Amino acid sequence: MMPAGLPSSEDGRSLLLKNPDVAKAVALLVLQDENAVTVSQAYKCLTNLTSVPAISEYLVEHDYGGITAHLVNSSLKSDDSAALQCAAMLSNLTRGRQGAEKLWTLLRSTNKCDDLLAALCSSTSENRDHLSFVFSNLSQLDEVRRWLLDQAARRVQKFFPFLTLETSSVRRHGAAAVLRNCCFETDSNEWLLSPDVDILPRLLYPLMGPEELDEDEMEKLPLELQYLGSDKQREGSPEIRQMLIEAIMQLCATKKCREHIKNSGAYYVLRELHKSESCRPVVVACENLVDILISDEPEPGMENLKDVDIPEHLTKKFEAYNEELLKE
Amino acid sequence: MDEEARMKLLEKLQQEEEEFIAGLKPSKYRDGWKEETWEKEMEEHPLFAKSLPDSGELPPLVEAMQQLKYDTELNGPEDLAEQYKDDGNNNFKLKKYRWAVASYTEGLRQKCKSLELNAQLYCNRAAAQFRLKNYGSALADSTIASKLKPNYVKAVTKAALCCWELERYQECIDWCRQLLELDPANAEMTALKDKAEKALKLAERNKRKAELKERLAARQEAALRSALEERGIKLPKPKDEELECNPFDPLTPTHPALRDHRVHQSPTGDGLVWPAIFLYPEVMESDFVQSFDESSSFGEQLELLFGDTVSQPEWNASGQYTPNSVSVWFKDHFTGKPVAISPKTTLKTVVFDKRFHIDNGTTSFWVLPKGTEYEARFLAQTGST
């Protein structure tokens, strides 16, 4: 039995990379050994192994003894510490597109897509937190985004409480990523902003801090965001703040959605955020979004920003400009 | 909730119903027969009718009484409860909702064992209570009905509508969700749920707004109280919350022109803004200044009062009083003698002066023609006794 500590070190991982049979042996140990202590050790070993992209890809490709299916079943069976390890491994395995596709195919063929979503959303146990990352990884796939945006199934709404209630940063991070990815589906943007889903207050809520707006500005905000008081704290993670801004940015693709967002007082929230924001990438994302919100509408025929053809030299110039902003 | 649990619930409810009725206090006589028509109504009421109606069909209560008369031994609690339910339904159709409630209540008092029948009695009584706008009682009855009979759509619907009327929006939403699980295509309940969600959102927002306003007002009051104490002005402590007395009432100016301009904090910077009276004893006139900011000087105030030579009042038409031709004084609270105020002095300096006293939350000052015989005489005579 190999010590679980070995894969934690960089040298240990390098050694394992040259001997892939070791990863296979540990994977089979997880599946076959009946000793709980051994399995627990193997879980930890495998979690560390799968955090190395190359090993993760190797395991995805070979899937010894159906290790992926085992991880799914363990995540669903209970929310004990074993489920934590399994969810973390699934998160590692699905970071790449190939791993995400493989897991999604498995979930679809075994009818466990909604079960896994329910496992995340119906349990507050921290052992389930990493399922949030599993879903954000899965949502890189077109197919999964369409599944999440099924209007009758109301799946995307299940991620809202993670942004508006007290939850772990892992869940908040995963939820923000899922919602941002869903906002890339321009055809669903009107529905996302409609009263049926009403995504905008959920995206703006974590961006609001203790500052108090003037009453006339306050009254323009969605009702859920009005008069939150000076004890309201802004989301502490810059990565999450940036993803939320990017999500709103994606919702600004069409004229109708832009006007909805403009008329919801989003500018005031971003203005106050900008005053106190210390993380440079978030500042840049914020300024880009504000530029859209305060700009005049484009000429007729150019309203859908994603359909406008931008000359390549301008695209490169804009990208270089953003690079310069990030350096300041 | 299984069958056995529901039966236990039913027995418990019947016991509680009995205790409730036993504990009822006599209430004012309402919906009684009118004096001018009591004989006609007596004739028509089944319990007192002397003859049966000509139509072939007997009212259920008459039929029930006949059965009672001839088949007393054969009528069990369930039959009687059923009869009372029918009576209640007839009264309901006639819009006699209070009678309907009474009939359904009698039906429940039979304590029959049928879960279905008792659920219907509770649900129907809820409907009658609803028509009487007794939404609390209607909610209680419909809740019981929904527990006695699983998936009782009418009871759940009624409960949701009661919660809406009672402005208990979250509960309304919960009832709607419960019903929409049974009947997802129910458009009426979908609309009610949407309406309740909007109303809840607005109610929560209004609550937050009111709380913030209250907190802000408390903060402002504390700051004002602190500033006043700093200036040696004591206020009664807020003891009785029931008495609608504001601790700042003693600071309300008595003069009509200043009554709505009580001392308050300055919006810009720190300091207070006071109502002020400028007295001109030589000409027996006065000016009322509604907002005299502590940070401004008396020179500035005189400029406001006399600087505009065109629009002076009648008593100063000749322009005798100008910013530079007058002197300003406050009364020494201890000696009664005038104390000179230089134009550069701010109101704050005067307010902090221990000799300066403020009555009825109003600052007051004398304005005299500078260097005149009147000024000399006024200064010599004022406060000398």
Side-chain angles (χ1 to χ4, degrees):
Chain A
M1 177 58 197
M2 133 177 329
L6 180 55
S8 300
S9 69
E10 205 55 45
D11 289 341
R13 293 179 190 171
S14 177
L15 177 63
L16 287 170
L17 206 43
K18 297 188 175 91
N19 299 276
D21 283 351
V22 175
K24 175 181 180 180
V26 177
L28 294 176
L29 207 53
V30 162
L31 293 164
Q32 296 168 3
D33 201 294
E34 292 176 2
N35 185 299
V37 174
T38 304
V39 171
S40 177
Q41 293 286 341
Y43 273 159
K44 290 176 184 170
C45 182
L46 205 54
T47 301
N48 289 322
L49 282 172
T50 54
S51 67
V52 180
I55 298 180
S56 184
E57 289 163 15
Y58 182 84
L59 282 172
V60 163
E61 185 181 352
H62 293 86
D63 196 27
Y64 299 112
I67 184 69
T68 308
H70 171 84
L71 296 177
V72 168
N73 292 335
S74 293
S75 297
L76 291 173
K77 186 166 62 176
S78 71
D79 57 6
D80 58 10
S81 60
L84 185 155
Q85 299 289 340
C86 294
M89 279 185 268
L90 284 173
S91 171
N92 288 339
L93 292 174
T94 53
R95 193 171 292 117
R97 174 170 287 270
Q98 187 186 353
E101 284 172 350
K102 203 133 207 179
L103 176 59
W104 187 245
T105 301
L106 171 68
L107 291 172
R108 283 274 304 275
S109 63
T110 57
N111 280 311
K112 289 179 177 164
C113 306
D114 280 302
D115 292 340
L116 198 65
L117 183 59
L120 168 64
C121 298
S122 61
S123 165
T124 55
S125 166
E126 64 181 2
N127 294 332
R128 286 273 167 80
D129 282 2
H130 284 277
L131 291 179
S132 183
F133 281 150
V134 173
F135 277 100
S136 65
N137 291 341
L138 289 174
S139 68
Q140 65 183 300
L141 305 177
D142 293 349
E143 192 179 349
V144 178
R145 289 200 295 278
R146 283 193 296 272
W147 174 79
L148 286 165
L149 292 167
D150 181 323
Q151 295 192 13
R154 301 186 67 81
R155 297 189 180 100
V156 69
Q157 291 93 324
K158 295 185 194 299
F159 291 91
F160 290 167
F162 300 142
L163 295 182
T164 57
L165 301 178
E166 286 284 336
T167 55
S168 69
S169 65
V170 171
R171 288 187 186 236
R172 297 202 310 275
H173 200 291
V178 166
L179 294 177
R180 177 197 60 182
N181 291 346
C182 286
C183 288
F184 274 89
E185 300 293 325
T186 306
D187 290 344
S188 292
N189 283 3
E190 269 189 45
W191 175 66
L192 287 171
L193 288 168
S194 76
D196 198 26
V197 183
D198 208 19
I199 194 173
L200 185 62
R202 282 33 181 254
L203 299 174
L204 288 170
Y205 180 88
L207 299 177
M208 292 189 68
E211 309 87 5
E212 286 191 17
L213 303 178
D214 293 340
E215 185 140 330
D216 56 321
E217 293 176 347
M218 182 80 76
E219 304 273 324
K220 288 196 173 75
L221 295 178
L223 290 177
E224 301 95 317
L225 305 181
Q226 293 185 20
Y227 303 105
L228 297 177
S230 53
D231 44 348
K232 171 66 172 69
Q233 290 303 310
R234 189 170 277 113
E235 163 62 55
S237 160
E239 287 82 12
I240 295 174
R241 294 201 297 273
Q242 181 169 352
M243 283 193 284
L244 294 170
I245 293 173
E246 288 167 356
I248 301 171
M249 174 85 78
Q250 295 303 323
L251 292 172
C252 287
T254 64
K255 175 175 184 177
K256 184 170 180 179
C257 294
R258 258 194 317 278
E259 288 182 349
H260 176 90
I261 295 169
K262 286 185 183 183
N263 294 332
S264 296
Y267 167 76
Y268 306 127
V269 177
L270 297 166
R271 182 192 67 202
E272 299 304 316
L273 166 65
H274 189 266
K275 287 178 184 175
S276 65
E277 183 59 60
S278 57
C279 178
R280 193 66 204 158
V282 182
V283 170
V284 172
C286 185
E287 288 171 352
N288 288 338
L289 178 50
V290 166
D291 280 348
I292 291 177
L293 293 179
I294 65 177
S295 295
D296 295 334
E297 276 298 300
E299 296 167 14
M302 308 262 287
E303 293 94 348
N304 190 326
L305 303 184
K306 289 185 180 176
D307 291 343
V308 175
D309 284 324
I310 303 179
E312 187 172 343
H313 71 279
L314 287 182
T315 302
K316 289 182 174 175
K317 189 181 285 188
F318 287 141
E319 286 168 353
Y321 182 69
N322 264 7
E323 289 291 325
E324 283 300 313
L325 287 178
L326 287 169
K327 290 175 186 173
E328 291 172 6
Chain B
M1 187 181 288
D2 57 26
E3 186 86 358
E4 184 181 343
R6 274 194 292 273
M7 285 304 299
K8 285 185 176 177
L9 172 62
L10 177 60
E11 288 168 5
K12 178 170 169 287
L13 287 167
Q14 289 172 339
Q15 176 64 28
E16 287 173 358
E17 192 81 23
E18 191 70 23
E19 290 166 0
F20 171 76
I21 291 175
L24 279 176
K25 297 175 180 177
S27 64
K28 199 168 187 179
Y29 183 65
R30 286 178 298 175
D31 288 348
W33 291 340
K34 300 181 180 62
E35 183 169 351
E36 56 272 17
T37 61
W38 73 269
E39 284 173 322
K40 186 174 186 296
E41 295 195 53
M42 173 83 82
E43 179 62 32
E44 288 176 355
H45 196 282
L47 286 174
F48 303 105
K50 295 174 182 174
S51 63
L52 296 175
D54 294 335
S55 64
E57 187 175 301
L58 294 176
L61 186 53
V62 173
E63 192 171 341
M65 286 192 302
Q66 290 185 342
Q67 291 182 23
L68 277 171
K69 183 174 181 181
Y70 300 108
D71 303 315
T72 308
E73 298 305 320
L74 297 178
N75 284 312
E78 197 155 322
D79 296 322
L80 293 175
E82 189 74 44
Q83 292 298 336
Y84 280 116
K85 193 190 82 173
D86 290 341
D87 288 346
N89 291 353
N90 278 325
N91 285 322
F92 193 98
K93 286 170 187 161
L94 295 169
K95 300 185 196 287
K96 297 181 188 290
Y97 302 119
R98 246 172 273 275
W99 286 7
V101 169
S103 295
Y104 296 131
T105 303
E106 280 303 309
L108 290 167
R109 293 189 70 193
Q110 303 312 307
K111 298 188 176 179
C112 76
K113 296 307 176 186
S114 168
L115 286 165
E116 170 78 24
L117 184 48
N118 279 284
Q120 287 176 18
L121 285 161
Y122 275 113
C123 187
N124 290 6
R125 189 167 76 170
Q129 295 279 26
F130 192 91
R131 294 305 186 100
L132 294 167
K133 299 189 193 293
N134 297 331
Y135 301 119
S137 299
L139 174 58
D141 281 346
S142 48
T143 303
I144 293 169
S146 74
K147 286 177 179 166
L148 293 179
K149 179 178 174 180
N151 304 333
Y152 198 173
V153 168
K154 279 177 76 177
V156 176
T157 303
K158 189 61 67 185
L161 290 167
C162 291
C163 289
W164 169 260
E165 296 293 341
L166 293 166
E167 298 183 12
R168 290 153 75 160
Y169 301 121
Q170 183 60 63
E171 292 171 55
C172 179
I173 293 163
D174 294 339
W175 283 111
C176 291
R177 287 206 179 113
Q178 182 177 323
L179 192 135
L180 289 170
E181 281 177 8
L182 303 174
D183 181 14
N186 191 318
E188 183 198 0
M189 297 309 281
T190 301
L192 179 59
K193 174 170 160 287
D194 288 347
K195 203 167 66 161
E197 280 169 347
K198 287 192 176 72
L200 178 63
K201 212 181 276 185
L202 183 59
E204 286 177 337
R205 172 261 194 199
N206 289 343
K207 183 165 175 267
R208 287 197 303 269
K209 182 176 183 180
E211 281 171 356
L212 279 181
K213 244 175 182 175
E214 190 178 310
R215 224 187 298 174
L216 178 63
R219 209 186 311 149
Q220 284 174 338
E221 178 179 317
L224 178 56
R225 179 182 290 270
S226 172
L228 290 170
E229 285 179 358
E230 199 180 355
R231 289 152 178 76
I233 301 171
K234 300 299 180 186
L235 288 171
K237 294 186 176 179
K239 305 172 183 175
D240 257 324
E241 300 250 340
E242 289 189 17
L243 299 179
E244 280 286 337
C245 81
N246 191 308
F248 299 105
D249 278 346
L251 296 178
T252 302
T254 52
H255 197 280
L258 301 174
R259 186 170 300 146
D260 294 332
H261 298 274
R262 199 160 59 194
V263 58
H264 58 277
Q265 285 182 285
S266 172
T268 67
D270 65 334
L272 302 178
V273 179
W274 293 89
I277 304 177
F278 286 84
L279 299 163
Y280 315 118
E282 183 191 31
V283 292
M284 306 290 284
E285 293 283 352
S286 56
D287 267 324
F288 300 96
V289 175
Q290 294 171 337
S291 300
F292 191 175
D293 194 306
E294 277 185 347
S295 62
S296 61
S297 67
F298 281 87
E300 289 166 347
Q301 194 61 48
L302 292 176
E303 193 65 35
L304 291 173
L305 289 168
F306 305 116
D308 186 352
T309 56
V310 175
S311 59
Q312 285 299 305
E314 183 62 31
W315 65 266
N316 195 31
S318 63
Q320 179 191 358
Y321 280 51
T322 67
N324 294 320
S325 71
V326 297
S327 57
V328 186
W329 311 77
F330 72 82
K331 177 180 180 179
D332 183 324
H333 177 63
F334 303 105
T335 67
K337 285 186 168 300
V339 179
I341 305 174
S342 76
K344 289 197 198 68
T345 304
T346 62
L347 176 58
K348 190 168 192 176
T349 303
V350 173
V351 169
F352 272 88
D353 194 309
K354 286 184 168 50
R355 297 168 295 178
F356 184 68
H357 191 79
I358 298 175
D359 292 310
N360 301 314
T362 309
T363 60
S364 65
F365 310 96
W366 292 302
V367 179
L368 305 174
K370 186 160 43 176
T372 62
E373 180 185 336
Y374 177 84
E375 182 192 48
R377 186 165 65 250
F378 182 91
L379 295 178
Q381 292 176 359
T382 306
S384 62
T385 44

